[in-house]
Amino acid sequence: MSPTVASVRLQKVLATAGIASRRAAEAMIAAGRVRVDGRVVTEQGTRVDAKISRVEVDGQRVVRQASVYLVLHKPRGVMSTMRDPEGRPTVRELLTDVSAARVYPVGRLDFNTSGVLLATNDGDFAEALLHPRRSAPKVYVVKVNGVMQERDVDLWRRGVELEDGRTLPSKVKLLRYEGDKTWLELTITEGRNQQVRRMGDVTGFRVMRLARLSFAGITSEGLMPGRWRYLTADELTDIKAQFGVPRRVVSPPKPKAAPKALPLPVRRPSGRQGQGHASNPVRGPRHDAATDGHPRYGGGAPVRRDLNTREDWGGGIRRGASEPRDDDSPPRHDLGRGRSRTTGTGGGIGASGPGDTYRVKGRR
């Protein structure tokens, strides 16, 4: 396909779809795992029209996903990869509830290093933050074995000679001493494999503890180890201003609404009560041994009460009444202290005059 405005490199299509980073996508292409319109493509730099061409990886069609950006507080003892041939725990197990898209880590942290680990499905975003030219800062807190003097700290600041070359200048802040141990805050802009630990080995200060505090200005503040959150629009705006990515700032996905609570079921009577037709029975007050043959009053909230429960307006014969009254008589309004239901506050249950002081327990 001749280069056109609509055509893009195949590895970029895979990276943009969240399949893998561009480097990993190039490995997929070289391994013959990618097809374009049914034809296996192994040539790097092949250009395709993402809107027209059918691109497949391992037989699965590639579909562009909505961009997702998040930060994970990686704990120690976890691999910062999506799979491990040795069967060790990976961050994939910590990101299983990211349902919006398939994400992968931006860079890596050592097995025994904890702290900030970004993850995304935006290949351009990941590549930009990892590119040496961008110089995205990574801030660590380091505990080393030995008492570092100012000259030792200056050596780390200027750069340490490693087997793969001299490290770039870094920012080092001496935090404190703990006996024969030294705590430092280290800011570097490179991403070499186990760079900080190798710096300690070369200078004679073995790294005992290492945690990343921030990456590209993003921290894990407020996150427990193993927890993650989406990057906010403000955070993405700041990253874009410094590093040019992401191309489009998006708001984090909205959380799913909690399911509505089901209403409490209404208890049905076990059998027909009272007199009446079978199709429309008349429910009267229930008589049982618990009430000595008298009607049962009260019953609590309408949703929970028995359908055979009658209202009690005070003066009932079994609830502290001063005298019996007709069950069919209307509510009494001469109770001296106003109306009184079973939960009222007037004269209480059964009060018939100013002298009666029956009250519901706990009411004032």
Side-chain angles (χ1 to χ4, degrees):
M1 173 185 297
S2 60
T4 63
V5 176
S7 66
V8 294
R9 293 181 182 273
L10 181 57
Q11 56 264 42
K12 183 175 181 179
V13 173
L14 300 180
T16 304
I19 302 300
S21 65
R22 290 197 188 185
R23 183 176 299 179
E26 291 173 356
M28 290 180 175
I29 295 172
R33 298 170 57 187
V34 182
R35 290 176 177 266
V36 178
D37 296 330
R39 179 175 58 89
V40 176
V41 175
T42 57
E43 180 182 354
Q44 301 294 339
T46 300
R47 305 182 74 89
V48 299
D49 189 333
K51 296 182 179 180
I52 300 177
S53 301
R54 180 185 179 92
V55 181
E56 298 173 298
V57 175
D58 297 333
Q60 299 294 323
R61 185 169 184 178
V62 175
V63 180
R64 183 183 179 90
Q65 298 176 325
S67 298
V68 175
Y69 311 91
L70 59 89
V71 55
L72 167 71
H73 187 167
K74 175 193 168 300
R76 290 186 296 165
V78 175
M79 295 294 295
S80 59
T81 57
M82 300 305 286
R83 61 180 61 87
D84 181 64
E86 300 180 18
R88 290 171 293 184
T90 68
V91 296
R92 184 174 189 173
E93 302 168 19
L94 304 177
L95 301 175
T96 53
D97 52 345
V98 183
S99 57
R102 174 188 177 275
V103 298
Y104 52 88
V106 180
R108 296 186 179 184
L109 285 178
D110 299 336
F111 183 72
N112 289 319
T113 301
S114 61
V116 172
L117 183 66
L118 301 183
T120 184
N121 62 344
D122 185 344
D124 292 337
F125 179 84
E127 182 182 23
L129 294 186
L130 296 176
H131 200 284
R133 187 178 60 206
R134 305 282 186 173
S135 299
K138 308 172 184 68
V139 182
Y140 296 87
V141 60
V142 191
K143 178 183 180 181
V144 300
N145 185 27
V147 179
M148 295 187 71
Q149 304 297 329
E150 192 63 30
R151 62 178 181 274
D152 303 315
V153 175
D154 287 339
L155 178 59
W156 281 41
R157 292 188 180 121
R158 294 193 304 267
V160 178
E161 195 68 41
L162 303 178
E163 61 270 19
D164 55 352
R166 191 181 188 87
T167 62
L168 293 177
S170 59
K171 297 179 181 179
V172 185
K173 180 181 179 181
L174 185 61
L175 297 178
R176 67 182 184 274
Y177 296 107
E178 284 185 359
D180 59 345
K181 310 296 188 297
T182 305
W183 285 89
L184 307 168
E185 182 182 288
L186 173 68
T187 303
I188 61 177
T189 57
E190 297 179 279
R192 303 190 196 184
N193 183 35
Q194 297 189 349
Q195 176 178 337
V196 180
R197 296 185 185 276
R198 289 192 293 154
M199 290 172 62
D201 292 339
V202 168
T203 57
F205 298 96
R206 182 175 61 87
V207 174
M208 303 179 65
R209 291 288 299 272
L210 183 62
R212 184 190 282 174
L213 301 181
S214 69
F215 179 21
I218 303 301
T219 72
S220 59
E221 184 178 357
L223 288 176
M224 296 293 291
R227 307 296 294 176
W228 62 270
R229 65 171 177 84
Y230 291 108
L231 298 189
T232 65
D234 291 340
E235 289 173 325
L236 291 174
T237 300
D238 292 340
I239 293 177
K240 184 174 182 178
Q242 297 181 63
F243 309 106
V245 289
R247 179 173 299 180
R248 178 173 173 266
V249 174
V250 297
S251 298
K254 295 181 179 179
K256 296 182 179 179
K260 295 182 178 180
L262 297 177
L264 293 174
V266 178
R267 187 173 61 178
R268 300 291 183 182
S270 58
R272 192 180 72 176
Q273 302 290 339
Q275 301 296 326
H277 299 288
S279 59
N280 186 22
V282 177
R283 298 181 178 89
R286 189 174 65 185
H287 298 262
D288 52 26
T291 57
D292 298 329
H294 295 285
R296 179 172 177 265
Y297 294 90
V303 175
R304 301 180 59 187
R305 68 177 61 181
D306 193 292
L307 296 180
N308 297 318
T309 301
R310 295 194 56 181
E311 298 284 359
D312 178 13
W313 292 89
I317 192 170
R318 297 298 301 169
R319 300 292 296 276
S322 58
E323 61 181 355
R325 70 175 179 82
D326 185 3
D327 289 334
D328 296 328
S329 61
R332 297 177 58 175
H333 300 287
D334 57 345
L335 300 182
R337 296 197 181 189
R339 70 173 184 84
S340 173
R341 296 184 63 177
T342 57
T343 58
T345 59
I349 299 174
S352 59
D356 293 324
T357 58
Y358 298 107
R359 294 182 181 274
V360 177
K361 184 176 181 182
R363 294 286 183 174
R364 295 288 183 184

